[in-house]
Each structure stands twice: as C-alpha cells, then as structure tokens.
Amino acid sequence: MDSQTALDITNQPHQQASTISHTAEEVYHIAQSQGFALLDEAIDDQRLKDFLQDEQCGALATFEGWVRNHNNDSRVTSLTYYGYEKLAINQGKQIIEEAKRLFDIENAVAIHRIGALEIGDMAVWVGVSSKHRYPAFDACKWILDTIKADIPVWKQEFYQDESSKWLSNNG
Amino acid sequence: MRITVLYFASLADKAQQGQQQLDLADNLSLSELYAQLKQQHGFELDTAKVRVAINDEFANWDDAINDGDTIAFIPPVAGG
C-alpha cells in the first residue's frame, strides 16, 4: 500500500463496513447476551451451539449458509460481505426477541460473517433450541429468512471474468 | 444543524466515501435529503428501494432529522 492510500483509508468507501469494532471474544458475548452479532473471522459454531445447551430441550435445529461457487450462470471466485455493525446488532436483537415471541422455543443465536470469504466458507450460522422439534425447525427458518431480509449486510461477488456485482436479496 | 451520513455498498461506491458530515437547513426531510444526495453523488436507487436508519436503528422516511443525528441510507441487503 502506498502512502497516499494509507492517508486516505479513514474514509475509504467501505472501510467502516468491513471492520468490526469488537474483539472476537466480545462478539461471542454479544451473540450470547443479545442473540446476534457480526464477526470478521471464521465462525466457531461449536461455541455457539454450547450457548444453546439446555436440559429442558429435546431439540436443536441449526442452519449454516456457505459461500457457493456460482450465482445463476456466473462462476464466483470469491466474495466480500460488508455490514453496518451497530444497526445489525440492534436489528438482530429484535429478530431473536420476535422469534421467541412467535415460536415455542427456549433460546436462539445467530452470527453473520463479514469480510473476504472463500468458496465453502461459512457466512451465517443460526441455531435454535426448543423442548420439541417442530418449533426449532420453524424458528430457525424464520430467523434465517428475516436475517436475509432485514440485517444490513451486503455481498459483493467477484467473477471469473474479473467483473464484480453488488447482490440484492429483494429482487 | 449538523449531521453525519453513512454510505454502504453501491451508495458508498457512488459517493466515494463511507461517511460525510453535512450542515443542513432545519426542517429538511429525510426524503429531501436523500434526493439532494442522489443528485449530488449520482445514486441510481430510488427511495422505494432504499431504507433509512437514524442513530443505528431503522427509521421511517417521515421521521424528523435532529441536530447531531447519524443517518444511514440502506441499499438492498444481501446477507445469508
């Protein structure tokens, strides 16, 4: 990086959206206490699963979203997720609270990753524990759908022909 | 009044910055502000495709802007 780029980095267009203001330790604490957080390194799903351990529960439903090697007919080589961290944490907390109102579940937690990801990397993890299986399945699907619709995370895909594109979940 | 505007994704590309401090006339509405910035930066998205947040919470387009607010225009999201 040359000195001109280094000088300008505080207001690079995507600088604030590609960095997390918390340590990984703090991110897992936020996820455990509020239900949702953004993380800029590989997601430790076992650690999230441990948050949901509960002797009252007979069911754990989890979902992992992975980076896929294609989008429609385009060959994806890599992608970068960006996020608006504070709004994402605030909105994620509301989504998890709403899920607990709508479904007969005991606990739920989710994390979305941001930064540069490779094909096969885990981009999002959702877990829900409940006494019985159906509310866990139903709430897990609802939480993922609502994250995709409402959480301020953006995806830029890079293609084999060296072009790139901002994606949209809403058509 | 003085506010901070945050830009993300395609809006940050067009604005060529992640955030901007602005001095606004009192009583400017959020949609008037977006219309001004759309023209200034050449944003392609209309308000129908963009959501708005004030101080890190989603807001409504008819909410008032107050001195010191941080306002973000949220282009279509693509998480998951």
Side-chain angles (χ1 to χ4, degrees):
Chain A
M1 184 180 291
D2 62 33
S3 60
Q4 187 60 46
T5 314
L7 282 175
D8 290 337
I9 200 159
T10 51
N11 209 11
Q12 288 286 309
H14 306 295
Q15 196 265 341
Q16 67 191 346
S18 51
T19 49
I20 292 294
S21 66
H22 298 95
T23 64
E25 204 57 38
E26 290 166 341
V27 166
Y28 286 100
H29 177 74
I30 293 166
Q32 185 173 22
S33 58
Q34 300 190 44
F36 182 84
L38 299 182
L39 180 65
D40 57 2
E41 58 180 61
I43 298 170
D44 182 351
D45 54 311
Q46 186 58 51
R47 186 165 180 178
L48 295 169
K49 208 169 136 176
D50 290 345
F51 295 157
L52 299 171
Q53 282 287 348
D54 184 338
E55 289 185 353
Q56 303 179 74
C57 292
L60 170 71
T62 68
F63 176 86
E64 295 181 16
W66 296 349
V67 176
R68 179 175 57 216
N69 70 358
H70 67 279
N71 183 3
N72 298 321
D73 291 334
S74 300
R75 189 89 183 160
V76 176
T77 52
S78 68
L79 57 73
T80 304
Y81 281 105
Y82 298 90
Y84 177 0
E85 186 184 22
K86 288 180 181 168
L87 178 60
I89 290 172
N90 289 340
Q91 193 63 23
K93 180 170 185 269
Q94 290 182 33
I95 291 170
I96 298 298
E97 284 171 358
E98 181 68 6
K100 288 177 178 174
R101 275 192 293 273
L102 291 172
F103 302 94
D104 186 14
I105 60 175
E106 296 307 313
N107 210 349
V109 62
I111 278 189
H112 201 295
R113 186 157 168 206
I114 68 163
L117 273 70
E118 303 290 327
I119 306 303
D121 282 349
M122 193 196 304
V124 61
W125 191 92
V126 181
V128 182
S129 59
S130 60
K131 293 190 180 73
H132 303 287
R133 65 191 184 282
Y134 290 125
F137 278 127
D138 295 345
C140 188
K141 178 178 187 293
W142 183 88
I143 290 168
L144 180 74
D145 289 348
T146 311
I147 285 172
K148 289 186 71 113
D150 285 349
I151 290 291
V153 166
W154 297 274
K155 175 162 64 177
Q156 187 176 31
E157 285 183 344
F158 299 90
Y159 305 108
Q160 215 157 30
D161 63 3
E162 296 184 356
S163 63
S164 70
K165 189 166 79 177
W166 291 103
L167 281 292
S168 167
N169 286 343
N170 324 314
Chain B
M1 59 186 169
R2 172 153 262 232
I3 62 153
T4 302
V5 180
L6 306 181
Y7 300 113
F8 295 96
S10 62
L11 300 186
D13 280 344
K14 288 283 183 189
Q16 298 183 299
Q17 56 198 331
Q19 57 179 288
Q20 185 175 25
Q21 312 283 328
L22 291 174
D23 289 308
L24 301 184
D26 288 349
N27 299 322
L28 190 76
S29 73
L30 284 167
S31 44
E32 287 165 345
L33 172 61
Y34 184 75
Q36 286 183 9
L37 295 170
K38 183 173 186 277
Q39 188 172 25
Q40 184 188 336
H41 295 304
F43 296 155
E44 286 163 6
L45 296 166
D46 293 324
T47 49
K49 289 268 186 186
V50 175
R51 295 167 79 180
V52 63
I54 301 177
N55 301 330
D56 309 319
E57 299 278 359
F58 278 117
N60 296 310
W61 282 103
D62 54 5
D63 288 348
I65 304 173
N66 291 300
D67 187 40
D69 279 351
T70 296
I71 292 170
F73 296 106
I74 310 290
V77 300

